[in-house]
Amino acid sequence: MRKVVWILLALSGLGALAQTQVRISGWGGTDIAIVNGLLKEVVQPKLDKEGIRVVYEPIEGDYTQWLFNALSAGTAPDLFYVDIFWSESLFATGKVEPLDRYFSKQEVAAFLPNLVQGFTYGGKLYGIPKDFNTLALEYNKDLFDEAGVKYPNQQDTWETLEAKLRQVQSKLKDVAGLCVVADFARFGPFAFATGWKPFDEKGQTVLDQNFRRAFEWYTGLVKRGAARFAQDLGEGWTGGCFGGEKAAVALEGAWIAGFLRDKAPNLKYGTTFLPLDPVTRKRGNFVFTVSWSMNAASKNKEAAAKVLKALTSPEAQQWVLERGLAIPSRKALANNPYFQRPGKEPELNRIVFQGSSAQGGVVYPFKFRGYGGDWMRPINDALLAVITGQKGVDQALKDAQAALDRLTGRK
Amino acid sequence: MRLKARTLEALYALFLLLPFLFTLLVFFLYAFLRAAYFSFTDYDLFSPPRFVGVENYLRLFREPLFLTALKHTLAYSLVVTALQTLFALLLAIALNRPLKGITAFRTVYYLPSVISTAAASLLLLWLFQRTGLVNQGLSFLLAHLPHLLSLGLLFLAFQGAQVAWARRRGEGVAFFDPALALLSLPLALLATYALGLFGVIGAQEVRVEIPWLPTTATFLGIPYPLWAIILMNTYTTIPTFMVLFLAGLKGIPQSLYEAAALDGASPWVIFSRITVPLLRPVLFLVVTMGLIGTLQLFDQVLFVGGSGGAPLEATITLAYYVYGNVFPSGAAPRVGLASAAALFLAGLTLLVVLLQRRFGVSERGWAG
């Protein structure tokens, strides 16, 4: 009997040897459940036939620090998440494998072009977008009903939306229309709607008249009685105010759904697009996205490419979408029946999905060359100073421009 | 071969010290030497380091953010060290009395130092919000200023009357005699309440809305958010140093105090001529540890300045500057520059401690 056991053990050992291991990593939190489910139900069954075993190592804590260290030390996994926000500075290091060799043009074309563009650097593709988010406007139906104000809709301009928010705020004394944050991640889309670009041809940032128009509108919301400053309500993001019914609308992506599910499961909310700039009649938006990218030092690149394809395959994306976990990145999903289901979450996900398309208007990926947070900080400081009444618009923009000029080397 | 006893002893000592020597060598000396090397290169974690001479050090002093960090670090260190040393000493003296239930008090006063900085930072954010407890407290105080003023004035009037009456009967009493105050205070309270009831004085509409955290405004050259951190850190560090002082106070012979009492020394003379001089070794420890700890302020800046919404320019310190350059948000690591800043911080700490030893308080006596 013992002999049989030994032989079985030896055979299973041989089997393990014949398998190729591919290590993959991403951040922890809710992603662990998603990736584990995806691996178990969709990815691994497919790869078993090819003799590939996926080893998943989620990272809790500061993922960016971990990844930069691991890539530098040569211990990084074969595949890993890359957030669009720091993608350029990572791609510039040469530690990430260009994927053009492994994916045909057709395969790449199946993904939303905005996202693919976001992970293209120096003409090469460095990541396959796994999912994404854009901003949408969520509104609390009960609060609007209570105030007797019409719901926000996709024809709203900044002005008509503001009028609605003002009405809600004046009718319901203890509820803000919106709680504004001093953050470019929320203000940016309004600036993009005016036609302003974060960088000009020379790679420099000019806070022009268009930017100023959006800036004045956004920072003036509090003074004009349409919004309150989030920190004054004890919140750090518009979703927090919304979930606590301290504000009637929020400007967030689909990530708000999970938060609301926990915090306010009975909250009745609807979702619509961000409002239009009354002058250009356009809207703007951000794409927040994450890719699967490959380690340039990986020893199993072919196998890793197969895993990457399985992780972003139509079946995998369908699996993720149906569970309402994230918004996958394939074009074909636009007509997916999931988006047409009744209910607040499918509606939210549909609007967020469409936010990256022509309906979203002027859409930029949430990245700022290699500057990252250093680039956003002067603008955030300016927003904060004006919203809290510490500086006038002129002074704040002058200071921000000076700081941006120092950063980008503009004379 | 037989080893001499001394050699054997030395070997034992070395053997027992080995783990510490190992960590010292690897995590301190090696890390230090590498940082020193990187500070002269443009290392970014990925491309091989390229020698750039003292460029990083020169660049530091051209960066407004670094200069701000330097200014904040020094100001913070001086203010917090002074405040926490003073209050820890006073608190220790107060808690060194043979009173009933003093152990319970000592525990209560020690509690703040048990709070983790993350939890304390959350409390701080909550207290210093624009609609937080601090502003509400200030609003309440200012709104009831008439009440407070009348309470004060009435108390003085009642107390004055009582003292005058007592003196007329030939009793020598001090103006703030506690026994008399025990009567004056309730009387003043009642009278104030009555005045309020009849509408002679009324509360005003005052709303203090000082933005303590999302601001770059300064007081005495230090930004508001940094003041908030100063207050919190002083509050949470005092208890630790208080325990050290308490231990020191226990070491002062009681006979000295008795002798002083026989000679009729005043409390101030006892404090300044006996307590403080004999506490010098502890004082030196507390001041030195305080300086080193405060110069390396980091976590509260991360919590309050990072996620708390205070602008970076209003809270940044040298330690945060180092961190922010090794892992800048969304940008490539600037390890060379960060190493230079880290070495500068190390040098600064050493210098400040040496200066303190030379011109401040040292183990043996008042230097200088």
Side-chain angles (χ1 to χ4, degrees), chain A residues 62 64-69 71-73 85-87 89-90 93 95 229 231-236 369-374 376-377 381 384-385 387-391 406, chain B residues 43-47 62 64-65 125 129-132 209 211 213-217 304 307-313 316 323-334:
Chain A
D62 195 325
T64 325
Q65 282 182 20
W66 170 83
L67 182 69
F68 275 69
N69 272 333
L71 280 172
S72 159
F85 186 55
W86 37 266
S87 59
S89 40
L90 184 66
T93 64
K95 296 280 175 184
F229 183 41
Q231 275 182 311
D232 289 347
L233 301 175
E235 297 288 346
R369 310 240 155 154
Y371 299 121
D374 292 342
M376 289 206 298
R377 194 182 312 124
D381 287 350
L384 182 72
I387 291 175
T388 54
Q390 298 170 60
K391 279 185 197 171
R406 259 202 311 276
Chain B
Y43 189 48
D44 64 356
L45 280 186
F46 297 107
S47 22
R62 287 197 302 266
L65 203 57
L125 291 178
Q129 268 164 16
R130 208 196 299 220
T131 49
E209 293 208 326
L213 297 175
T215 182
T216 46
V304 177
S307 44
L312 191 64
E313 278 79 359
I316 190 165
Y323 169 81
N325 275 297
V326 182
F327 298 109
S329 139
R334 300 184 279 265

Side-chain angles (χ1 to χ4, degrees), chain A residues 7-35:
Chain A
I7 289 170
L8 279 177
L9 269 180
L11 278 177
S12 67
L14 281 177
L17 276 182
Q19 270 186 343
T20 314
Q21 270 196 5
V22 173
R23 286 167 60 216
I24 67 171
S25 277
W27 41 78
T30 49
D31 272 37
I32 299 180
I34 302 179
V35 178

Side-chain angles (χ1 to χ4, degrees), chain B residues 91 95 104-113 235 238-239 242:
Chain B
L91 204 59
L95 291 182
F105 275 110
R106 280 183 202 145
T107 316
V108 168
Y109 281 108
Y110 185 67
L111 272 181
S113 74
Y235 174 68
I238 285 174
M242 176 198 79

Side-chain angles (χ1 to χ4, degrees), chain B residues 88-143:
Chain B
L89 182 59
L90 292 181
L91 204 59
I93 291 171
L95 291 182
N96 194 35
R97 285 156 195 264
L99 284 176
K100 216 174 171 186
I102 198 73
T103 330
F105 275 110
R106 280 183 202 145
T107 316
V108 168
Y109 281 108
Y110 185 67
L111 272 181
S113 74
V114 182
I115 307 173
S116 80
T117 46
S121 303
L122 276 179
L123 278 177
L124 175 94
L125 291 178
W126 177 62
L127 285 174
F128 283 92
Q129 268 164 16
R130 208 196 299 220
T131 49
L133 209 60
V134 171
N135 276 347
Q136 281 185 16
L138 284 176
S139 307
F140 183 81
L141 273 183
L142 289 179

